[in-house]
Amino acid sequence: MVRVNGKSLVSWGKSKDEALAKLDSKRKALLTEGESVRQFRSKNAQTVGRLCELWLSAIGEKVPLGIVPADISRRIAQSGVDAYRSTLSRNVLRSPQGCSGLPLGDIPVSRLKRNDVVQLLEDMRKAGLSTSVRQNVRGRLIQVMAYGMQLSWSGASDAWAAVKSTARPESEVVRPATSLTIEQVNQLLETAARMPSTRMLNPLTVLYFAGLRIGELLGLRWEDVDLEVGVIHVRHSLKRERGKMVLGSVKGAHTRKVAALRDVPILPQSAEAFARQLEQQKAEREAAGSWKGFEAGAPEQYVFSGRHGGCLDPMTFWENLRLVAGAGFGVGDDGKPLVRIHAHQTRHTFVTLLRDAGMDFDAIASVVGHANSKVTEGVYDHVTPARQADTFAKVHEALGRQAAGQ
């Protein structure tokens, strides 16, 4: 039951979740009629978990209803909302894996204390969760409690102060970025060329010699690749949202458009891969008989498509990459490749190649789309196309010497 303008609004359900869901529907219906969310009160629903659910609903609405959180200056993409929901569900709405006791989400907002948050972060650390996950949980809780203050929830200001006063988790162990050597990259590509299916050769080549993220690679369309000028226009990223593959924005495009949306010069290795891919795609279209979307090589067509023209799933791509790594480097007793392959390793490798070739940090940042100076330890302004062309010429020369063993 909640109170609206002094009147009771009641919903029944077979479970608490069902009843709360019905109340949410009634709440949104009243909001569309002009009611203020500040008028809602509920003894049974004012828990940390309930406030988390309301905050997630508010930042995820395509058409804002009621009060939008003050710290949300822009609408959050659905993938971001899903990530926040997953983080809060795993660690706040229920206890972290391996930890017993009352979940933080079951504590009333008015009774939340600093020690509760400290204990949660410590339980997460003992459960083996990374520093970034713990920092994420603390940051989201600060935003959630700030939203509770906007909604005039009882005790929300004290709860916000309690979360804010907890120390920000710091990494205990600094893990250096791992990358492959040029010899290992060549070995991986040679293995991909020898596999029964050589479909991984071309995307892997572009991945390692352009420094793209997986979503950026699989989101490339032929209109994004200018082979005459020798530039890849990174403008989109393929991602899964609500069970469907969608072509969304590049990571960071909302907050740092200049850094995220970028042009990457095409190295000779990538140029050869694009040429092979175009021929392979045309052959697959003829063999398939039917082609999804557009003809092979059409501007709107995905560069790295499936056998019938559709887009590739990033998770499936990584599964295939691990298979190639296992065939090229061997696997251990745990069935994993002896040479570790992970999501950002390809970018680490690309940055390492650029640094070995003498490219400075500001030029590297403009190529890989970094905006934080801590990532590449430099200032990223005033990088001209001529400067990029010069440094990439040095990269090509260095790669040629390394491949020749000089």
Side-chain angles (χ1 to χ4, degrees), residues 81-103:
V81 177
D82 291 342
Y84 291 162
R85 186 181 303 279
S86 176
T87 298
L88 292 173
S89 296
R90 291 172 182 270
N91 303 291
V92 176
L93 302 187
R94 59 176 181 265
S95 297
Q97 187 175 5
C99 300
S100 58
L102 185 71

Side-chain angles (χ1 to χ4, degrees), residues 244-402:
K244 296 182 179 180
M245 300 306 303
V246 297
L247 194 62
S249 59
V250 177
K251 180 181 179 181
H254 295 294
T255 56
R256 46 187 171 87
K257 184 176 181 179
V258 174
L261 303 180
R262 61 198 189 277
D263 294 337
V264 179
I266 299 177
L267 288 173
Q269 292 87 343
S270 296
E272 294 173 2
F274 282 129
R276 291 194 304 264
Q277 181 65 17
L278 186 57
E279 293 302 317
Q280 176 181 308
Q281 204 176 59
K282 287 181 179 179
E284 288 180 344
R285 179 178 183 275
E286 294 174 359
S290 62
W291 195 259
K292 292 182 181 179
F294 310 93
E295 293 192 7
E300 303 89 347
Q301 176 63 47
Y302 287 108
V303 174
F304 301 108
S305 58
R307 297 182 186 277
H308 296 275
C311 62
L312 298 177
D313 190 312
M315 293 303 296
T316 302
F317 182 88
W318 274 114
E319 293 287 341
N320 292 334
L321 173 55
R322 293 187 180 96
L323 290 176
V324 175
F329 303 128
V331 296
D333 295 335
D334 57 358
K336 297 181 180 179
L338 294 177
V339 176
R340 186 180 177 223
I341 300 293
H342 59 86
H344 277 293
Q345 186 190 58
T346 55
R347 285 167 64 78
H348 295 330
T349 300
F350 183 64
V351 170
T352 300
L353 293 177
L354 299 185
R355 285 297 296 158
D356 290 346
M359 182 180 281
D360 53 22
F361 283 120
D362 56 346
I364 294 174
S366 71
V367 172
V368 298
H370 287 162
N372 190 330
S373 60
K374 294 181 180 179
V375 179
T376 46
E377 300 181 17
V379 179
Y380 310 140
D381 295 333
H382 312 300
V383 180
T384 64
R387 185 179 180 185
Q388 284 192 352
D390 177 63
T391 50
F392 264 78
K394 294 179 181 178
V395 172
H396 180 47
E397 181 182 353
L399 290 175
R401 289 198 303 271
Q402 292 185 48

Side-chain angles (χ1 to χ4, degrees), residues 212-280:
L212 305 181
R213 299 178 178 91
I214 290 295
E216 295 170 348
L217 175 81
L218 301 183
L220 283 180
R221 296 178 295 180
W222 284 111
E223 62 186 3
D224 302 321
V225 181
D226 192 332
L227 294 175
E228 292 185 4
V229 178
V231 170
I232 300 172
H233 303 294
V234 183
R235 299 293 183 269
H236 307 283
S237 181
L238 191 68
K239 59 190 70 175
R240 181 175 292 279
E241 290 186 359
R242 296 182 177 179
K244 296 182 179 180
M245 300 306 303
V246 297
L247 194 62
S249 59
V250 177
K251 180 181 179 181
H254 295 294
T255 56
R256 46 187 171 87
K257 184 176 181 179
V258 174
L261 303 180
R262 61 198 189 277
D263 294 337
V264 179
I266 299 177
L267 288 173
Q269 292 87 343
S270 296
E272 294 173 2
F274 282 129
R276 291 194 304 264
Q277 181 65 17
L278 186 57
E279 293 302 317
Q280 176 181 308

Side-chain angles (χ1 to χ4, degrees), residues 173-189:
V173 179
V174 178
R175 295 182 175 87
T178 59
S179 62
L180 299 182
T181 64
I182 188 63
E183 291 79 15
Q184 288 175 319
V185 171
N186 288 334
Q187 182 178 347
L188 194 66
L189 296 179

Side-chain angles (χ1 to χ4, degrees), residues 132-143:
S132 60
V133 174
R134 287 180 281 137
Q135 290 174 345
N136 192 357
V137 167
R138 177 180 176 272
R140 299 294 80 74
L141 283 174
I142 291 175
Q143 291 178 306

